[in-house]
Amino acid sequence: MEGTASYLTLVVIGILITVGVGQILLRSGQPFLDDVFQNKESAHSINRLLVVLFHLLTLGVLGMISVIDVPADAGTAQTVVFKIGVVLLLVGIAYGVSMLVLLRIRERRRQQAVSAEIDQKLAEQRRGPGRFRRGGGGPAPESEARTPSEQPGD
């Protein structure tokens, strides 16, 4: 009976930790994703998908850890504490990976925004004569205002 009690204790504590960290990810990730995607609906959907992925991975690992045998000389309390420690390490790793994914998404979006801004400025430079000229952008020099017959000879 002692084995079943420690097993259930581990599973309950692991589920509570996983759900708690998942809620932190859900709440803290929302403003971050709103900034990245500039669309609240998309950000909310992606946030939920990331949290579901986090829960599935973490609960799957918890299920595998719960059946791992610890050396026989360890007592029940030590076994539960050891397994909870492993769960915490893996939840931390999963959380870290989730944060890295979010950071990579944000960085890619920022790079796309900067690239689009540069493309727009280059297009503006190519479009308008007299706009963004080298040499101060003042009035056109005299040589440009003359007709070909008025140009000085070579």
Side-chain angles (χ1 to χ4, degrees), residues 105-123:
I105 290 171
R106 181 171 75 175
E107 187 59 31
R108 189 174 306 138
R109 290 289 181 152
R110 285 186 178 171
Q111 287 174 353
Q112 288 172 347
V114 168
S115 178
E117 185 178 323
I118 290 171
D119 290 344
Q120 179 183 4
K121 286 184 179 184
L122 287 173

Side-chain angles (χ1 to χ4, degrees), residues 52-62 64 94:
V52 167
L53 176 65
F54 172 81
H55 282 125
L56 291 173
L57 290 174
T58 306
L59 291 173
V61 169
L62 174 64
M64 292 188 295

